[in-house]
Amino acid sequence: MFGMSKTLIVVYKDEMVVNQLKKMVETHDDKEEGIIGTRDDSVNVVAWTEKVWLNNKKAGNITDKVLFLGDISGTDKLIPVLDIKFNQFGVQYGWAGNQAVLFVDSKEMHDKDIYLDFIEQLSKLSVPDMIKEPINTRYANGEQESTPNETEDDENKNSRKKINKFLGNAKNTLDKGVKALDKVRVNVASKTEDLLRDKKKVTRQQLFYGVVNLYNNDLDNFMNA
């Protein structure tokens, strides 16, 4: 019924991702021309950790819509029966009945061109600047890598220093748009292992990308399915 809100239970592992979704759902962003995402005040987000979900699932009394964000226990049995609505850059989401899953595969980012195509699209979305930042730019100011390669030869070390110096200059212009990304494209993440070194960061970037696209394009359809 118009004017009544529906509850969406969001099961998560990464609190930053669920906070992004809550922000979008709770923002009064509708315009005279039409609804942005979900109709304002039509959805009430209830965030559950995986542990809370599993405890409530045992009780068997859940009738609200449920959205799983990421690798949540039990979703491997649900994913095969989903009607997939979105599939880009290793990010997929879909639903079956009252349950939806947004899941990602970081291995899809297997080379620098695919990854930077993804970053280019991510940079166009309204997400925190730290999420838009390509992986290697965080080392541009001299910060040590989390897993340094002790056996790396001098030639590779010198090459990496040159790349980081370039990225240090490019980082200050990243927020100016896609043109800056074109400058970074030829140098960032020169090896496949560079892209996959920080799986957690890549996964978070993918989840943000999926959450924004879900809100903008399909969440209202899921809530009213």
Side-chain angles (χ1 to χ4, degrees):
M1 181 178 178
F2 186 83
M4 295 183 63
S5 64
K6 297 181 179 179
T7 296
L8 173 63
I9 298 171
V10 182
V11 185
Y12 69 95
K13 283 186 174 179
D14 189 331
E15 189 173 3
M16 189 180 294
V17 179
V18 74
N19 284 341
Q20 173 70 32
L21 180 60
K22 283 174 64 68
K23 174 185 175 181
M24 292 185 295
V25 169
E26 295 172 359
T27 297
H28 287 190
D29 53 2
D30 291 347
K31 301 179 180 179
E32 291 183 2
E33 301 84 49
I35 295 171
I36 304 298
T38 55
R39 179 170 51 81
D40 291 349
D41 299 320
S42 66
V43 176
N44 176 40
V45 174
V46 176
W48 285 358
T49 63
E50 185 177 40
K51 181 178 180 180
V52 172
W53 158 252
L54 292 174
N55 289 337
N56 280 277
K57 182 181 178 182
K58 291 178 181 179
N61 58 354
I62 300 171
T63 59
D64 296 309
K65 298 280 186 175
V66 181
L67 169 63
F68 301 97
L69 294 180
D71 183 19
I72 304 298
S73 178
T75 55
D76 58 324
K77 304 297 191 301
L78 179 58
I79 288 173
V81 302
L82 296 177
D83 293 325
I84 299 298
K85 307 295 183 180
F86 183 88
N87 186 356
Q88 293 180 10
F89 297 113
V91 181
Q92 297 186 58
Y93 63 70
W95 56 83
N98 285 339
Q99 295 187 324
V101 187
L102 192 164
F103 56 103
V104 305
D105 183 359
S106 62
K107 293 193 293 294
E108 288 291 320
M109 303 297 170
H110 61 271
D111 66 37
K112 66 178 181 180
D113 291 328
I114 292 176
Y115 178 67
L116 284 167
D117 282 343
F118 165 67
I119 289 295
E120 181 174 326
Q121 296 304 312
L122 182 64
S123 70
K124 299 174 183 178
L125 304 181
S126 181
V127 299
D129 289 343
M130 65 175 289
I131 300 300
K132 299 177 183 181
E133 183 180 309
I135 290 174
N136 281 1
T137 61
R138 66 188 178 131
Y139 305 127
N141 294 324
E143 181 182 345
Q144 294 295 316
E145 299 178 12
S146 57
T147 55
N149 185 351
E150 298 293 344
T151 63
E152 189 174 32
D153 57 36
D154 290 339
E155 182 178 354
N156 283 339
K157 287 180 180 179
N158 289 333
S159 176
R160 187 177 295 279
K161 288 179 180 178
K162 291 179 180 179
I163 290 172
N164 287 344
K165 181 178 180 180
F166 178 89
L167 289 171
N169 295 329
K171 182 179 180 182
N172 294 327
T173 64
L174 278 173
D175 291 335
K176 295 181 180 178
V178 174
K179 290 183 180 179
L181 287 168
D182 289 337
K183 296 179 182 179
V184 179
R185 181 178 296 277
V186 295
N187 287 301
V188 69
S190 59
K191 298 180 181 180
T192 300
E193 53 265 35
D194 290 333
L195 292 171
L196 299 179
R197 174 176 49 208
D198 198 338
K199 179 180 178 181
K200 183 176 180 180
K201 181 177 176 67
V202 174
T203 296
R204 173 175 279 175
Q205 289 175 321
Q206 289 175 297
L207 287 171
F208 266 84
Y209 184 73
V211 156
V212 175
N213 277 282
L214 172 62
Y215 173 74
N216 287 337
N217 303 313
D218 291 299
L219 185 58
D220 192 62
N221 292 330
F222 170 59
M223 295 303 299
N224 291 291

